[in-house]
Amino acid sequence: MEKERLSRFDEIVNMGKEGQEALNQYWLDYALYSFFEYWLMVSFLGFPLIFLILKINKEKLFQILFFGYSVHICFGYEDLFGRNMGFWNYPIPVIPSLPGISLDSSLIPVIFIFVYQSTLNSNKKYYLYGTITAVILAFAFKPMLVGLGLFRMYGSISYYHLFFSYVSVFIFAKLMTDLFIWIKKWYRTSD
């Protein structure tokens, strides 16, 4: 029984490896040479990080970057889940084994970082601005990516699913950041 179970598991892993090899070949055949689309995805990876370095509030650097890291982790896991379940994928990735890296690691976290940063020292409401951002990303940005052939959705997945995904990301990131700020304050007062 144990040997059969492990043998079946090894078959599944091999199928995944073969699938990744096919995606790598697709990338070499089509994605790497699609001039506009490929370089647009590269720009989604590079330009937001450059902009972040130039415009981040240096006085609250650690807090803001922790928030951005929380967005990156949560969005990365949600994106990985969606790709593994066959809900969506990226036909023109910058790196074939990391198809969502441009959005997961750069563009989306940086967008939410600036929403968070803009609400830190003002009376702006984070959840309102986060929701507006989620609406724009789900109902304007993602349809644009679909139209350009940079994002594909499968099955019954809709832009509403993507909207709720973005909402869960910005709520999770805010709660995690607030939790760690509270822990930091608690440790300071307990000394």
Side-chain angles (χ1 to χ4, degrees):
M1 181 67 158
E2 181 72 10
K3 189 174 182 180
E4 181 183 327
R5 179 181 64 84
L6 290 176
S7 176
R8 178 69 178 131
F9 178 76
D10 291 342
E11 285 177 37
I12 295 167
V13 169
N14 193 43
M15 288 185 331
K17 182 180 173 187
E18 290 172 3
Q20 186 59 53
E21 288 172 357
L23 285 171
N24 292 348
Q25 190 58 50
Y26 162 84
W27 183 74
L28 288 171
D29 293 342
Y30 300 104
L32 186 57
Y33 303 108
S34 63
F35 185 78
F36 172 75
E37 294 89 349
Y38 180 78
W39 288 105
L40 182 60
M41 293 303 282
V42 169
S43 71
F44 286 161
L45 179 62
F47 289 138
L49 296 175
I50 293 167
F51 188 72
L52 177 66
I53 290 167
L54 297 174
K55 297 295 183 178
I56 193 166
N57 179 341
K58 313 283 191 284
E59 293 174 12
K60 296 194 177 193
L61 184 70
F62 185 77
Q63 177 181 342
I64 293 168
L65 290 180
F66 180 83
F67 171 84
Y69 180 73
S70 297
V71 171
H72 161 68
I73 292 297
C74 185
F75 188 63
Y77 281 136
E78 285 189 7
D79 192 51
L80 179 64
F81 175 79
R83 283 185 283 116
N84 285 343
M85 295 300 293
F87 295 153
W88 57 72
N89 214 322
Y90 303 88
I92 311 289
V94 173
I95 302 169
S97 56
L98 300 170
I101 192 170
S102 296
L103 301 182
D104 299 348
S105 299
S106 183
L107 185 66
I108 302 303
V110 169
I111 287 170
F112 279 115
I113 281 172
F114 284 111
V115 170
Y116 180 71
Q117 179 175 293
S118 72
T119 62
L120 274 178
N121 297 324
S122 66
N123 291 327
K124 296 179 181 174
K125 298 185 177 11
Y126 171 78
Y127 293 102
L128 172 64
Y129 284 90
T131 302
I132 292 168
T133 303
V135 165
I136 293 168
L137 290 172
F139 299 109
F141 180 68
K142 284 293 177 137
M144 180 197 75
L145 290 181
V146 168
L148 292 171
L150 298 173
F151 185 72
R152 301 274 299 165
M153 296 187 301
Y154 304 99
S156 61
I157 295 299
S158 71
Y159 295 112
Y160 290 103
H161 293 103
L162 300 178
F163 168 73
F164 289 116
S165 173
Y166 287 124
V167 168
S168 70
V169 165
F170 81 74
I171 289 173
F172 169 81
K174 176 79 162 77
L175 293 176
M176 288 304 297
T177 304
D178 289 349
L179 172 67
F180 277 83
I181 290 170
W182 178 82
I183 290 171
K184 180 181 173 183
K185 287 179 184 175
W186 184 78
Y187 273 112
R188 282 189 179 165
T189 58
S190 64
D191 288 340

